[in-house]
């Protein structure tokens, strides 16, 4: 790797968006999808097309935090969510991936 490539990589890592995404790694995430489903799991990665990889993923047909008795979740495991199907992302910034999502503040709005 040349010096210019090293400097370019360092500049890329200093961008605010890159720092934000890195801070989300291994955090609990809730993904609201265009068809009304919600996915809960661990944020593992994303790409330039806004696709998101969710680990330890559980699917709900409605927001499990807004109903008294949510329906039985469906365990998906490792899931890739296409960016064009994402309405909102909710990131739990206060805890690690070992506990479930508690914060209900949107981290990203597709609008």
């Amino acid at each position: 790797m040349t010096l210019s490539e090293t400097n370019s990589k360092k500049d890329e890592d200093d961008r605010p968006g890159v720092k934000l995404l890195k801070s989300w790694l291994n955090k609990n995430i809730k993904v609201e999808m265009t068809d009304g489903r919600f996915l809960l799991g661990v944020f593992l990665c994303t790409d330039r097309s806004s696709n998101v990889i969710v680990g330890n993923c559980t699917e709900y047909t409605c927001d499990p935090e807004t109903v008294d008795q949510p329906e039985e979740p469906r365990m998906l495991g490792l899931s890739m969510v296409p960016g064009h199907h994402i309405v909102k992302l909710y990131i739990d910034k206060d805890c690690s991936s070992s506990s479930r999502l508690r914060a209900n503040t949107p981290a990203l709005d597709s609008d």
Side-chain angles (χ1 to χ4, degrees), residues 32-65:
E32 182 179 347
M33 297 176 52
T34 55
D35 62 0
R37 289 180 295 160
F38 287 83
L39 303 177
L40 274 67
V42 179
F43 178 79
L44 296 179
C45 69
T46 188
D47 62 14
R48 293 181 189 267
S49 299
S50 300
N51 301 318
V52 172
I53 303 292
V54 182
N56 196 24
C57 186
T58 306
E59 177 191 53
Y60 294 87
T61 56
C62 61
D63 190 349
E65 296 177 356

Side-chain angles (χ1 to χ4, degrees), residues 45-94:
C45 69
T46 188
D47 62 14
R48 293 181 189 267
S49 299
S50 300
N51 301 318
V52 172
I53 303 292
V54 182
N56 196 24
C57 186
T58 306
E59 177 191 53
Y60 294 87
T61 56
C62 61
D63 190 349
E65 296 177 356
T66 60
V67 294
D68 291 334
Q69 289 188 323
E71 81 287 352
E72 187 70 26
R74 188 171 89 158
M75 300 300 294
L76 301 178
L78 188 64
S79 298
M80 191 282 288
V81 185
H84 63 276
H85 288 297
I86 297 174
V87 175
K88 289 182 186 176
L89 296 177
Y90 299 86
I91 303 289
D92 190 356
K93 298 177 184 177
D94 296 329

